[in-house]
Structure formats: structure tokens, C-alpha cells
Amino acid sequence: MKHFSEEDLIAYQLHESSDEGAISTHLENCSECADLSESIAETLRVFSADPVPQPDLEHNWQRLRGNLRVLTPERPRGFELFRWRWAWPVAGLATAALILLTVFGTHIHRAGETRHNIAVNGHGPLTTEPTDPAIANHLDAAERLLTEVNNSSGPLDDATREQAHSLLLQNAVYVRNARNSGDLAEAAVLENFGRVLTTLDNEPPTSHSTWRLRLEMNTSGLLLDIRILRQNDDHSQGASQ
Amino acid sequence: MSNRRMDKAETEAIQHVLAGNRDAYRVLMERHFCSVTRVAFRITGNEADAEEAAQEAFLRAYNKLPSFRQDSTFSTWIMRITMNTAINLVERRNRDLSYRAPRISDEPSATDHTVKIADRQAGPEGVLLNREAAGLRQAAMAELTPMERTAFTLRHMEDIPMGEIAAALNVTTNSAKQAVFRAVSKLRRSLTPIAGGLR
């Protein structure tokens, strides 16, 4: 008899499974899976919603209002006309810059891609030993930051840049730990991530910098590597329990 | 969080704010502060941090209001900012070794960032059991990464659809689902000592 995995049963209990009917039928005939499913249901019951304290709206408004600056009204119409007169030359320059960056970026992109794809794909599973649990947090934060970088169309906001700076400081420690433990694949991915962070930390925030970073440093490829690392990290921790 | 279009009052409030009227922002705050604080509480796990995250989220939203394109509702937008702000706050707390994480103590107090939820029907023994159970739950939740905790609490406790959680966290729906599954798996294992072994 084919049993369902823990993940399948969690999805079933959360009503996120696309195979609900088949799982339900299976649970009626398989005591092993039924026990596991009940254990998951019990977990969800134990971690059900606690009451949430109600905030004091007036107090919070007064606190917030003190920090609000007066926002600048929209630009006057005359400025818009002035801006549109320059639209064509600006568009021409932007197109030329785009072509140059594409040629330049593709070259670097290829070099970077080869390097870390070998690191991830050339060694099978990245880790087989349980790793430092704190790295799970680091990889989560890395994934969110890279997703933000990949999805942003303009310059990154101050909070994201601050987060990049903070991750940069931590990343060096994880690179060193990975090297010390002989996990060269993990070290290579984290080193690439460190390069992205260094660029983010040092480059002035312009409307093109995020876009160029994505292209030059292949952040989408790196994001995939980070996700693989995190999955391997998670599996190795699960196996240890 | 919903995809319905913003109503007239919110659109007008935004226009007034952008025209320089700070007090118009109160309309948006009164409508959304409670739900924002609720989500922040789920992510941070304590009242003080939840209010701090909610305050920061509303301030960031205000400062970004000139670039808010209104192709999503204000509630969806502020919720997205809140989740990121609250996760960043949790990560900052985790990095700060001097900060004592939220926990249950015998004498809960705001200064120690401990939470007590009153149970008027329980006797002394019941109160003690409630505290112990809450302490175990909090310890287990503290083992989750901020993303796992966020995805789990919002899906399971707030019943927010996975797609909206993923959009707010800026990850794919599959990544958000995996985060929830990992969270449930870890929490189930954390119950092993008191359940007498996993079945």
C-alpha cells in the first residue's frame, strides 16, 4: 500500500491538498497514515488562535501623527509639459544604455552562472549533516531580499538596504562556517550572495541600479541556489530528528 | 485583505494626505490599524512589538503614499508592508543578544515582554496548566523562522489564502506553502515530549 507523506497530510488537514478525496479514502483503510494525520490535526488544534489584544487607537494615532511630515503636493502642470518635451531624447539615451548593459551584463551573467551552478548541481545534495539552525533564518532572509530585488522596478527603499547591510555582516560568518565544515557548495552560494550584498550596500540608490544588479549578478539564479540550500538544510534537520 | 477596489472615503483620504493634510491619514489608520496590529501580533508574538511594527508600517506607508499607484487596495498594500516590517523586527530582535525573547513567566509583565491572557473561569490549577501550555507553545513557535511563523499563523490562525500570503511576503505561492508545511512539521515534532512520542 502506498502511504502519503507528512507533507501531503499537512496539506490535507489545511485543506490545501489537490488530492483530498484520495487521501480521505486512504485514511479510512490505513491506520498508520490515519495516526499521522490525527497527530497533525492535534498539532493544529494546540496551535489554534489565541486572543489578540486590542490596540488603543487614539494613543497610537497621537504617537504616529507626531512623526508625519507634510507631503509635497503633486508637481505643477508646467513641469509636466517641460518633462514631456525631453521625453524622446531621454528615451533614446535609455535605450542605448539598455543595449550596452544587456551586452555587458550577459557577459558577466554567463561567467557568474557557470560558477555557482556547478557548485549547486555538480555535487548532488548539498548537505547531509545537520547544520546550524540559525542558518535557516539567514536563508529565509536572503530569499526574501533577493525576491525583493528581483521584483523591484525602482530603487530599493532604505529598510531593504539596511537589511542588506545587516545580512552582509552575518553572511561572512556563515561563509566561514561552511568553509570550515568543508561544505564548499554552500560556501560558494553564500559567497555569491555576499557579492550581491556588497554591491547593494555600496552602490548609490538609482532607478537603474537594482535592474543592473539583477542582470549583472544573476540574482534570479542565486535565488534558486538559496532555495535549494534551504531545502537541503531543512531536510538534513528533519532527518536528524 | 481583499482585492476589492478602495471605496471613495479611502481614495479621498489619500488625495487629501497628498495635498498636505496629515490629519486625513487618520481615516486610513482607524480603518486598518486593528487588522494590521492583529497580523503583526501573530508574527511578533507580543503586544509591544506588534504595536511597534504597526506604527512603523503606517509610517512607511505614509512616506511611500506619493508612489502608491492604487492598483491594489490600501488594505492589501499596508498588510504587505506590515508583514515585512514585523518580520524585520523579529529578525532584529533575534540578532540583538541583549533582547529577551517573549515568553511566559510566573509573573508576566510588559517590561519583560511577557504575555498573560486572562482566563477567568480557570482555578489556580487551571491557570498553572494554561501558563505551562502557553509557555510550551511559545517555545515551539520561537523555533520557527520568521517566514515560517508568518506563513503558518496567517494561514492557520487568520485563515488568509495562501496566494495573498505569498504576495505579501514577495515569494511564490509554492514557497509560502512550503513554509507553512515546514512550520507544522516542526511544531508537531515539538509536541513529541508531551505527547509521549509521535504516532
Side-chain angles (χ1 to χ4, degrees):
Chain A
M1 183 184 290
K2 177 187 170 291
H3 296 290
F4 283 96
S5 67
E6 183 188 18
E7 192 174 290
D8 291 332
L9 295 174
I10 291 171
Y12 171 75
Q13 288 291 348
L14 288 169
H15 304 292
E16 292 287 345
S17 173
S18 55
D19 217 7
E20 207 158 304
I23 294 177
S24 185
T25 308
H26 177 78
L27 292 179
E28 287 172 11
N29 303 311
C30 174
S31 60
E32 196 178 326
C33 288
D35 283 351
L36 179 55
S37 182
E38 178 50 35
S39 167
I40 292 164
E42 175 64 15
T43 304
L44 294 175
R45 280 194 291 275
V46 168
F47 290 94
S48 56
D50 286 328
V52 176
Q54 284 297 308
D56 180 342
L57 270 180
E58 183 60 33
H59 167 76
N60 275 287
W61 165 247
Q62 293 304 334
R63 195 177 147 204
L64 179 68
R65 193 186 182 285
N67 292 316
L68 301 181
R69 64 193 165 91
V70 174
L71 293 180
T72 316
E74 288 183 348
R75 291 187 183 108
R77 198 171 170 76
F79 182 84
E80 293 292 313
L81 289 171
F82 174 78
R83 191 178 65 165
W84 282 110
R85 206 165 21 164
W86 290 96
W88 283 109
V90 168
L93 282 173
T95 310
L98 186 70
I99 293 167
L100 279 173
L101 282 173
T102 306
V103 172
F104 182 62
T106 308
H107 176 72
I108 292 174
H109 163 88
R110 281 181 185 151
E113 187 178 58
T114 307
R115 193 172 188 286
H116 57 70
N117 279 351
I118 284 172
V120 169
N121 298 327
H123 293 80
L126 286 169
T127 51
T128 52
E129 296 296 319
T131 53
D132 177 7
I135 199 171
N137 279 327
H138 185 67
L139 295 176
D140 266 357
E143 182 182 356
R144 282 190 296 108
L145 181 83
L146 287 170
T147 309
E148 179 80 26
V149 168
N150 282 344
N151 293 337
S152 295
S153 52
L156 297 174
D157 62 23
D158 289 344
T160 310
R161 294 172 72 83
E162 188 189 322
Q163 195 196 5
H165 178 73
S166 156
L167 282 172
L168 178 61
L169 301 178
Q170 293 171 52
N171 196 62
V173 178
Y174 291 115
V175 170
R176 196 186 57 209
N177 286 351
R179 275 202 205 119
N180 289 346
S181 63
D183 195 340
L184 299 181
E186 183 172 283
V189 174
L190 291 176
E191 272 176 356
N192 276 334
F193 181 51
R195 274 191 277 277
V196 171
L197 292 172
T198 306
T199 311
L200 264 179
D201 196 37
N202 291 304
E203 191 155 321
T206 67
S207 55
H208 294 299
S209 57
T210 315
W211 179 83
R212 201 172 72 223
L213 184 80
R214 282 205 302 273
L215 196 66
E216 288 181 3
M217 311 216 75
N218 184 24
T219 50
S220 55
L222 180 58
L223 181 59
L224 179 65
D225 292 351
I226 296 266
R227 282 178 177 153
I228 294 170
L229 264 187
R230 205 194 53 194
Q231 293 237 338
N232 285 344
D233 179 67
D234 187 55
H235 288 156
S236 65
Q237 284 190 42
S240 72
Q241 288 172 355
Chain B
M1 294 166 71
S2 77
N3 289 324
R4 66 185 154 72
R5 290 189 68 77
M6 283 196 305
D7 65 23
K8 198 177 165 193
E10 292 193 4
T11 310
E12 283 179 357
I14 290 172
Q15 284 167 355
H16 287 142
V17 172
L18 293 176
N21 178 8
R22 283 183 297 183
D23 289 328
Y25 199 54
R26 184 172 182 145
V27 173
L28 298 164
M29 189 179 167
E30 282 183 346
R31 286 182 173 213
H32 302 292
F33 195 78
C34 285
S35 54
V36 157
T37 311
R38 185 182 177 88
V39 164
F41 182 79
R42 295 289 180 221
I43 297 169
T44 60
N46 74 84
E47 190 176 354
D49 280 350
E51 283 203 10
E52 188 179 327
Q55 282 273 337
E56 192 180 332
F58 267 92
L59 185 59
R60 286 179 70 184
Y62 181 89
N63 290 330
K64 284 183 166 185
L65 214 49
S67 64
F68 176 48
R69 284 173 294 178
Q70 301 194 24
D71 47 9
S72 64
T73 61
F74 182 80
S75 68
T76 303
W77 189 58
I78 186 73
M79 208 56 86
R80 184 177 298 194
I81 295 173
T82 303
M83 287 187 206
N84 275 304
T85 307
I87 289 176
N88 288 342
L89 182 66
V90 171
E91 285 172 348
R92 282 209 302 273
R93 297 288 192 230
N94 289 343
R95 282 197 297 271
D96 182 2
L97 296 177
S98 65
Y99 181 81
R100 286 182 287 174
R103 65 194 194 283
I104 294 292
S105 69
D106 288 343
E107 295 300 329
S109 78
T111 50
D112 285 346
H113 300 281
T114 53
V115 183
K116 178 184 178 182
I117 295 163
D119 183 354
R120 292 187 179 85
Q121 303 206 332
E125 198 176 329
V127 169
L128 191 64
L129 286 172
N130 281 342
R131 280 182 189 169
E132 281 181 11
L136 288 168
R137 284 203 304 270
Q138 282 210 328
M141 292 291 275
E143 292 299 310
L144 304 181
T145 68
M147 189 197 271
E148 289 164 354
R149 182 188 173 111
T150 303
F152 170 71
T153 52
L154 298 186
R155 175 65 190 81
H156 179 52
M157 297 180 185
E158 296 297 317
D159 215 18
I160 295 176
M162 208 65 93
E164 289 187 25
I165 296 169
L169 290 174
N170 246 339
V171 296
T172 62
T173 304
N174 193 47
S175 280
K177 268 188 188 176
Q178 292 302 321
V180 175
F181 296 162
R182 283 199 306 275
V184 176
S185 179
K186 284 183 183 177
L187 293 174
R188 193 175 76 84
R189 283 178 169 78
S190 73
L191 294 181
T192 310
I194 44 177
L198 287 170
R199 284 168 286 189

